[in-house]
Amino acid sequence: QQQVRQSPQSLTVWEGETAILNCSYEDSTFNYFPWYQQFPGEGPALLISIRSVSDKKEDGRFTIFFNKREKKLSLHITDSQPGDSATYFCAASESNYQLIWGSGTKLIIKP
Amino acid sequence: DMKVTQMPRYLIKRMGENVLLECGQDMSHETMYWYRQDPGLGLQLIYISYDVDSNSEGDIPKGYRVSRKKREHFSLILDSAKTNQTSVYFCASSLGTPGNTLYFGEGSRLIVV
């Protein structure tokens, strides 16, 4: 049973556009939601995270929007750059328990 | 320097051979992990270690075992490798609980023929 779902599986946008990556979850006890960025040949690295007490978290061009009622969140990447091309993983956990990972969204930014 | 180092980075083994993947971290993190990553499946947790000799099974432990004798070092062992264990394996570490940031190594690509 997949508890964290990501869509789309892959996404292509033009440089300068806003990329929107979606994530949904099933367990209402999840309260920590990190997004990890992975470049080819490398391990994932934490990009940005949000806790369920907030509905928005911003870090430069990256913003998480969180809807607790619908159990959905999204990662918005504004002014997309070719260097943002990577796979993005949404994950979720309850307090100190292990992370549950989505299957990832492969983002391609066309110059 | 916050770093997780994995060795070897690439490995080809024959079915039935033993495999040892090693991981080291320089951050004195208590918690360490072994994941495997396959296309379309994201990251699957194999084992988690909360400290020296304190290891727990993850979601897919079958066919794997681990060893942690020093806080900074965590090994993944495949006894008699199978072709379906061909994958990319990632080691990670975190300070304290899994709710904190995970720091990943660069991965070990294993091919079992």
Short mmCIF file of all heavy atoms in Angstrom, two decimals, chain B residues 26-67:
data_model
loop_
_atom_site.label_atom_id
_atom_site.label_comp_id
_atom_site.label_asym_id
_atom_site.label_seq_id
_atom_site.Cartn_x
_atom_site.Cartn_y
_atom_site.Cartn_z
N ASP B 26 31.09 11.03 9.10
CA ASP B 26 32.00 11.78 9.96
C ASP B 26 31.25 12.78 10.85
O ASP B 26 31.84 13.75 11.33
CB ASP B 26 33.06 12.50 9.13
CG ASP B 26 32.48 13.50 8.14
OD1 ASP B 26 31.23 13.69 8.13
OD2 ASP B 26 33.26 14.09 7.37
N MET B 27 29.95 12.55 11.07
CA MET B 27 29.14 13.51 11.81
C MET B 27 28.74 12.99 13.19
O MET B 27 27.95 13.63 13.88
CB MET B 27 27.88 13.82 10.99
CG MET B 27 28.21 14.48 9.65
SD MET B 27 26.81 14.53 8.51
CE MET B 27 26.91 12.90 7.79
N SER B 28 29.22 11.83 13.56
CA SER B 28 28.85 11.20 14.84
C SER B 28 27.35 11.00 14.99
O SER B 28 26.82 11.04 16.11
CB SER B 28 29.38 12.02 16.03
OG SER B 28 30.79 12.06 16.00
N HIS B 29 26.67 10.80 13.86
CA HIS B 29 25.23 10.56 13.91
C HIS B 29 24.94 9.20 14.52
O HIS B 29 25.58 8.21 14.19
CB HIS B 29 24.63 10.63 12.50
CG HIS B 29 24.52 12.02 11.98
ND1 HIS B 29 24.23 12.28 10.66
CD2 HIS B 29 24.64 13.23 12.60
CE1 HIS B 29 24.17 13.59 10.49
NE2 HIS B 29 24.43 14.18 11.64
N GLU B 30 23.91 9.18 15.41
CA GLU B 30 23.53 7.90 16.02
C GLU B 30 22.84 6.98 15.01
O GLU B 30 23.05 5.77 15.02
CB GLU B 30 22.57 8.11 17.20
CG GLU B 30 23.10 9.00 18.30
CD GLU B 30 22.64 10.44 18.16
OE1 GLU B 30 22.52 10.92 17.00
OE2 GLU B 30 22.41 11.08 19.20
N THR B 31 21.99 7.54 14.18
CA THR B 31 21.12 6.74 13.33
C THR B 31 21.68 6.62 11.92
O THR B 31 22.07 7.62 11.31
CB THR B 31 19.71 7.35 13.27
OG1 THR B 31 19.28 7.64 14.61
CG2 THR B 31 18.72 6.38 12.63
N MET B 32 21.71 5.40 11.43
CA MET B 32 22.16 5.15 10.06
C MET B 32 21.19 4.22 9.37
O MET B 32 20.46 3.45 10.03
CB MET B 32 23.59 4.57 10.05
CG MET B 32 24.63 5.54 10.60
SD MET B 32 26.33 4.98 10.41
CE MET B 32 26.58 5.20 8.64
N TYR B 33 21.18 4.29 8.04
CA TYR B 33 20.17 3.58 7.24
C TYR B 33 20.83 2.96 6.01
O TYR B 33 21.81 3.48 5.49
CB TYR B 33 19.11 4.56 6.72
CG TYR B 33 18.58 5.55 7.71
CD1 TYR B 33 19.33 6.65 8.10
CD2 TYR B 33 17.29 5.42 8.22
CE1 TYR B 33 18.84 7.58 8.99
CE2 TYR B 33 16.78 6.35 9.11
CZ TYR B 33 17.55 7.43 9.49
OH TYR B 33 17.06 8.35 10.38
N TRP B 34 20.22 1.88 5.54
CA TRP B 34 20.49 1.36 4.22
C TRP B 34 19.19 1.32 3.43
O TRP B 34 18.18 0.76 3.90
CB TRP B 34 21.10 -0.04 4.26
CG TRP B 34 22.57 -0.04 4.47
CD1 TRP B 34 23.27 -0.37 5.60
CD2 TRP B 34 23.57 0.30 3.49
NE1 TRP B 34 24.61 -0.25 5.40
CE2 TRP B 34 24.83 0.16 4.11
CE3 TRP B 34 23.53 0.71 2.16
CZ2 TRP B 34 26.04 0.41 3.44
CZ3 TRP B 34 24.72 0.96 1.50
CH2 TRP B 34 25.96 0.81 2.14
N TYR B 35 19.22 1.95 2.25
CA TYR B 35 18.10 1.95 1.32
C TYR B 35 18.54 1.32 0.01
O TYR B 35 19.71 1.35 -0.35
CB TYR B 35 17.66 3.38 1.00
CG TYR B 35 16.92 4.12 2.07
CD1 TYR B 35 17.59 4.94 2.97
CD2 TYR B 35 15.53 4.05 2.15
CE1 TYR B 35 16.90 5.66 3.94
CE2 TYR B 35 14.83 4.77 3.12
CZ TYR B 35 15.53 5.57 4.00
OH TYR B 35 14.83 6.29 4.95
N ARG B 36 17.56 0.82 -0.74
CA ARG B 36 17.82 0.50 -2.14
C ARG B 36 16.87 1.33 -2.99
O ARG B 36 15.74 1.65 -2.57
CB ARG B 36 17.71 -0.99 -2.45
CG ARG B 36 16.35 -1.61 -2.33
CD ARG B 36 16.38 -3.09 -2.76
NE ARG B 36 16.35 -3.25 -4.21
CZ ARG B 36 16.43 -4.42 -4.85
NH1 ARG B 36 16.56 -5.55 -4.14
NH2 ARG B 36 16.40 -4.48 -6.15
N GLN B 37 17.37 1.68 -4.17
CA GLN B 37 16.58 2.51 -5.07
C GLN B 37 16.47 1.83 -6.42
O GLN B 37 17.49 1.54 -7.06
CB GLN B 37 17.21 3.89 -5.23
CG GLN B 37 16.38 4.85 -6.08
CD GLN B 37 16.99 6.24 -6.13
OE1 GLN B 37 18.17 6.43 -6.31
NE2 GLN B 37 16.13 7.25 -5.97
N ASP B 38 15.26 1.59 -6.85
CA ASP B 38 14.98 1.00 -8.15
C ASP B 38 14.08 1.95 -8.92
O ASP B 38 13.25 2.65 -8.31
CB ASP B 38 14.31 -0.36 -7.98
CG ASP B 38 15.18 -1.33 -7.20
OD1 ASP B 38 16.20 -1.75 -7.76
OD2 ASP B 38 14.86 -1.65 -6.04
N PRO B 39 14.20 1.98 -10.23
CA PRO B 39 13.40 2.91 -11.04
C PRO B 39 11.91 2.78 -10.75
O PRO B 39 11.36 1.68 -10.73
CB PRO B 39 13.73 2.48 -12.48
CG PRO B 39 15.08 1.86 -12.38
CD PRO B 39 15.11 1.17 -11.05
N GLY B 40 11.27 3.91 -10.49
CA GLY B 40 9.83 3.93 -10.26
C GLY B 40 9.38 3.51 -8.88
O GLY B 40 8.19 3.58 -8.56
N LEU B 41 10.32 3.09 -8.04
CA LEU B 41 9.95 2.61 -6.71
C LEU B 41 10.44 3.51 -5.60
O LEU B 41 10.20 3.25 -4.42
CB LEU B 41 10.48 1.20 -6.48
CG LEU B 41 9.87 0.11 -7.34
CD1 LEU B 41 10.50 -1.24 -7.01
CD2 LEU B 41 8.36 0.05 -7.16
N GLY B 42 11.15 4.54 -5.94
CA GLY B 42 11.65 5.41 -4.89
C GLY B 42 12.67 4.72 -4.01
O GLY B 42 13.44 3.87 -4.47
N LEU B 43 12.68 5.07 -2.74
CA LEU B 43 13.65 4.54 -1.79
C LEU B 43 12.96 3.54 -0.86
O LEU B 43 11.95 3.86 -0.24
CB LEU B 43 14.25 5.67 -0.97
CG LEU B 43 15.18 6.60 -1.74
CD1 LEU B 43 15.26 7.96 -1.06
CD2 LEU B 43 16.56 5.99 -1.86
N GLN B 44 13.52 2.36 -0.79
CA GLN B 44 12.98 1.34 0.10
C GLN B 44 13.97 1.06 1.23
O GLN B 44 15.14 0.78 0.97
CB GLN B 44 12.72 0.05 -0.68
CG GLN B 44 11.70 0.22 -1.82
CD GLN B 44 11.53 -1.06 -2.61
OE1 GLN B 44 10.76 -1.95 -2.23
NE2 GLN B 44 12.26 -1.20 -3.69
N LEU B 45 13.48 1.14 2.46
CA LEU B 45 14.35 0.97 3.61
C LEU B 45 14.63 -0.51 3.86
O LEU B 45 13.72 -1.31 4.04
CB LEU B 45 13.69 1.59 4.85
CG LEU B 45 14.49 1.51 6.14
CD1 LEU B 45 15.78 2.34 6.04
CD2 LEU B 45 13.65 2.01 7.32
N ILE B 46 15.92 -0.84 3.93
CA ILE B 46 16.32 -2.22 4.18
C ILE B 46 16.53 -2.44 5.68
O ILE B 46 15.95 -3.34 6.28
CB ILE B 46 17.61 -2.56 3.42
CG1 ILE B 46 17.46 -2.26 1.92
CG2 ILE B 46 17.97 -4.04 3.61
CD1 ILE B 46 18.75 -2.38 1.14
N TYR B 47 17.39 -1.62 6.26
CA TYR B 47 17.68 -1.70 7.69
C TYR B 47 17.91 -0.30 8.23
O TYR B 47 18.36 0.59 7.52
CB TYR B 47 18.93 -2.54 7.96
CG TYR B 47 18.66 -4.01 8.20
CD1 TYR B 47 18.71 -4.92 7.15
CD2 TYR B 47 18.37 -4.49 9.48
CE1 TYR B 47 18.47 -6.27 7.36
CE2 TYR B 47 18.13 -5.85 9.70
CZ TYR B 47 18.18 -6.73 8.62
OH TYR B 47 17.94 -8.07 8.83
N ILE B 48 17.63 -0.14 9.51
CA ILE B 48 17.93 1.08 10.24
C ILE B 48 18.73 0.70 11.48
O ILE B 48 18.46 -0.33 12.11
CB ILE B 48 16.64 1.87 10.59
CG1 ILE B 48 16.97 3.18 11.30
CG2 ILE B 48 15.70 1.03 11.43
CD1 ILE B 48 15.75 4.09 11.49
N SER B 49 19.71 1.52 11.80
CA SER B 49 20.52 1.29 12.99
C SER B 49 20.45 2.51 13.89
O SER B 49 20.74 3.62 13.44
CB SER B 49 21.97 1.01 12.60
OG SER B 49 22.79 0.92 13.75
N TYR B 50 20.07 2.30 15.15
CA TYR B 50 19.90 3.42 16.06
C TYR B 50 21.19 3.74 16.82
O TYR B 50 21.30 4.80 17.47
CB TYR B 50 18.77 3.13 17.03
CG TYR B 50 17.43 3.04 16.33
CD1 TYR B 50 16.87 1.81 16.01
CD2 TYR B 50 16.74 4.18 15.95
CE1 TYR B 50 15.66 1.72 15.34
CE2 TYR B 50 15.53 4.10 15.28
CZ TYR B 50 15.00 2.86 14.98
OH TYR B 50 13.81 2.78 14.31
N ASP B 51 22.12 2.83 16.79
CA ASP B 51 23.45 3.03 17.37
C ASP B 51 24.20 1.71 17.25
O ASP B 51 23.69 0.76 16.64
CB ASP B 51 23.38 3.51 18.81
CG ASP B 51 24.53 4.44 19.19
OD1 ASP B 51 25.66 4.23 18.65
OD2 ASP B 51 24.33 5.35 20.00
N VAL B 52 25.38 1.62 17.86
CA VAL B 52 26.18 0.41 17.77
C VAL B 52 25.37 -0.80 18.25
O VAL B 52 24.73 -0.75 19.31
CB VAL B 52 27.46 0.57 18.61
CG1 VAL B 52 28.21 -0.75 18.70
CG2 VAL B 52 28.35 1.65 18.01
N ASP B 53 25.34 -1.84 17.41
CA ASP B 53 24.66 -3.10 17.74
C ASP B 53 23.19 -2.91 18.10
O ASP B 53 22.62 -3.69 18.87
CB ASP B 53 25.39 -3.81 18.91
CG ASP B 53 26.67 -4.49 18.45
OD1 ASP B 53 26.74 -4.90 17.27
OD2 ASP B 53 27.60 -4.60 19.27
N SER B 54 22.54 -1.91 17.53
CA SER B 54 21.12 -1.66 17.75
C SER B 54 20.44 -1.47 16.41
O SER B 54 20.16 -0.34 15.99
CB SER B 54 20.93 -0.42 18.64
OG SER B 54 19.55 -0.17 18.84
N ASN B 55 20.19 -2.59 15.75
CA ASN B 55 19.70 -2.57 14.37
C ASN B 55 18.28 -3.12 14.28
O ASN B 55 17.91 -4.02 15.03
CB ASN B 55 20.61 -3.43 13.48
CG ASN B 55 22.07 -3.03 13.63
OD1 ASN B 55 22.41 -1.85 13.67
ND2 ASN B 55 22.95 -4.03 13.71
N SER B 56 17.50 -2.54 13.38
CA SER B 56 16.13 -2.99 13.18
C SER B 56 15.84 -3.18 11.70
O SER B 56 16.38 -2.46 10.87
CB SER B 56 15.13 -1.97 13.75
OG SER B 56 15.23 -1.88 15.13
N GLU B 57 14.98 -4.14 11.40
CA GLU B 57 14.60 -4.37 10.01
C GLU B 57 13.76 -3.21 9.50
O GLU B 57 12.96 -2.62 10.22
CB GLU B 57 13.80 -5.67 9.91
CG GLU B 57 14.61 -6.91 10.25
CD GLU B 57 13.79 -8.18 10.13
OE1 GLU B 57 12.55 -8.09 10.06
OE2 GLU B 57 14.40 -9.28 10.13
N GLY B 58 13.96 -2.94 8.22
CA GLY B 58 13.13 -1.96 7.54
C GLY B 58 12.00 -2.67 6.82
O GLY B 58 11.47 -3.68 7.29
N ASP B 59 11.68 -2.17 5.64
CA ASP B 59 10.54 -2.72 4.91
C ASP B 59 10.90 -3.95 4.08
O ASP B 59 10.06 -4.79 3.80
CB ASP B 59 9.97 -1.64 3.98
CG ASP B 59 9.46 -0.44 4.78
OD1 ASP B 59 8.83 -0.67 5.83
OD2 ASP B 59 9.70 0.70 4.36
N ILE B 60 12.17 -4.05 3.66
CA ILE B 60 12.58 -5.16 2.77
C ILE B 60 13.88 -5.80 3.25
O ILE B 60 14.87 -5.83 2.54
CB ILE B 60 12.72 -4.68 1.31
CG1 ILE B 60 13.67 -3.47 1.22
CG2 ILE B 60 11.36 -4.34 0.71
CD1 ILE B 60 14.16 -3.21 -0.19
N PRO B 61 13.93 -6.38 4.45
CA PRO B 61 15.18 -6.91 4.99
C PRO B 61 15.59 -8.28 4.46
O PRO B 61 16.74 -8.69 4.63
CB PRO B 61 14.87 -7.02 6.49
CG PRO B 61 13.40 -7.30 6.51
CD PRO B 61 12.81 -6.52 5.37
N LYS B 62 14.67 -8.98 3.80
CA LYS B 62 14.95 -10.35 3.40
C LYS B 62 16.11 -10.41 2.41
O LYS B 62 16.11 -9.70 1.39
CB LYS B 62 13.70 -10.98 2.77
CG LYS B 62 13.85 -12.47 2.50
CD LYS B 62 12.55 -13.05 1.95
CE LYS B 62 12.71 -14.54 1.67
NZ LYS B 62 11.47 -15.13 1.09
N GLY B 63 17.09 -11.25 2.72
CA GLY B 63 18.25 -11.41 1.87
C GLY B 63 19.41 -10.50 2.23
O GLY B 63 20.46 -10.54 1.58
N TYR B 64 19.22 -9.69 3.26
CA TYR B 64 20.25 -8.74 3.68
C TYR B 64 20.50 -8.89 5.19
O TYR B 64 19.64 -9.32 5.94
CB TYR B 64 19.80 -7.30 3.43
CG TYR B 64 19.42 -6.98 2.02
CD1 TYR B 64 18.09 -7.06 1.60
CD2 TYR B 64 20.38 -6.59 1.09
CE1 TYR B 64 17.73 -6.76 0.30
CE2 TYR B 64 20.02 -6.28 -0.21
CZ TYR B 64 18.69 -6.37 -0.59
OH TYR B 64 18.34 -6.07 -1.89
N ARG B 65 21.70 -8.54 5.59
CA ARG B 65 21.98 -8.35 7.01
C ARG B 65 22.94 -7.18 7.14
O ARG B 65 23.55 -6.74 6.16
CB ARG B 65 22.53 -9.62 7.65
CG ARG B 65 23.84 -10.12 7.10
CD ARG B 65 24.23 -11.45 7.78
NE ARG B 65 25.42 -12.03 7.18
CZ ARG B 65 26.65 -11.83 7.63
NH1 ARG B 65 26.84 -11.06 8.69
NH2 ARG B 65 27.68 -12.41 7.03
N VAL B 66 23.02 -6.66 8.37
CA VAL B 66 23.85 -5.48 8.59
C VAL B 66 24.75 -5.69 9.80
O VAL B 66 24.54 -6.60 10.61
CB VAL B 66 22.99 -4.22 8.81
CG1 VAL B 66 22.25 -3.82 7.54
CG2 VAL B 66 22.02 -4.42 9.97
N SER B 67 25.73 -4.82 9.89
CA SER B 67 26.64 -4.84 11.03
C SER B 67 27.02 -3.41 11.37
O SER B 67 27.39 -2.64 10.48
CB SER B 67 27.89 -5.65 10.70
OG SER B 67 28.84 -5.57 11.74
#
